[in-house]
Amino acid sequence: MIPKHIAIIMDGNGRWASVRNKARAVGHQAGVDNISRVVEIMIKKEIKFLTLFAFSTENWSRPIREVEFLTEQLLAKSISLNTERLHSAGVKIIHLGNKDNLNGKLKSKINDSIKLTKNNKKITLLVAFDYGGRQEIVRATKKLLSSGISLEEINEKSFSKFLFTGQVPDPDLVIRTAGEFRISNFLLWQTAYSEFYSTETFWPDFNENEIDKALLVYSKRKRKFGNV
Ligand code: IPE
Ligand code: IPE
Ligand code: MG
């Protein structure tokens, strides 16, 4: 079985640069360059939803220069460079996370790319930027309460509609690059029954061969959802 939704924790940009004696920014640039390549491969594999963890709510605690590089320069540049290409490849872009901490120009760039691609059907690309799973759950709770919903109507299904992922199915497979085995506040609600796969490969080197390996491992897993 091919997963319908793959979510990736794109980790290891810093280490990719460090083993090459390069600055961390060089690794982040290489990481961003890899995104459109991976999206194209996922389209070829007929994956319908791809979520990429690009910047967490905790990543604001990094040195200011690195944060500025990631949130201002790199994000702005990659939207400008990639939106048209993704649009013509049939990619629908969704953002998961806050936009409040980003500058106005960047916010409107993100909104424009979402609007431009909203009717595309080939694959949905969910970009988690300034995203944190706990924060998402708190935000959803506030939205739920202010929606005027009655106590009886609150259940897992109605609650999940208030998450950033709204109508998107839960990830079938979570991939983490760079050898770590932790969730780092990513999609806490949505990954309740996702299969987890970790590879030593750093994100900038994550390629088709790596994707094939992950898909092969996934195809051998037996998903039980609590059943026997
Ligand atoms: C992932 O690479 C990108 C972000 C978290 C923004 P890292 O920057 O975490 O790379 P390592 O973990 O230091 O190698
Ligand atoms: C997780 O990577 C966040 C992203 C990939 C955007 P981190 O590198 O921030 O995670 P920790 O700090 O190692 O858990
Ligand atoms: Mg990291």
Side-chain angles (χ1 to χ4, degrees), residues 146-165:
S146 56
S147 75
I149 195 169
S150 68
L151 265 186
E152 294 70 37
E153 288 171 309
I154 301 177
N155 53 43
E156 291 174 17
K157 202 168 164 207
S158 62
F159 182 86
S160 66
K161 297 276 180 291
F162 291 90
L163 298 169
F164 289 118
T165 39

Side-chain angles (χ1 to χ4, degrees), residues 10-15 24 28 54 59 62 66 70:
M10 307 186 289
D11 199 12
N13 294 348
R15 280 164 280 177
R24 292 179 60 83
H28 290 312
N59 288 148
R62 293 187 178 200
E66 177 161 344
L70 288 166

Side-chain angles (χ1 to χ4, degrees), residues 9-11 53-56 59 62 176 180 182 184:
I9 303 173
M10 307 186 289
D11 199 12
F53 200 8
F55 191 86
S56 74
N59 288 148
R62 293 187 178 200
R176 182 161 187 151
E180 244 60 74
R182 58 176 168 265
S184 301

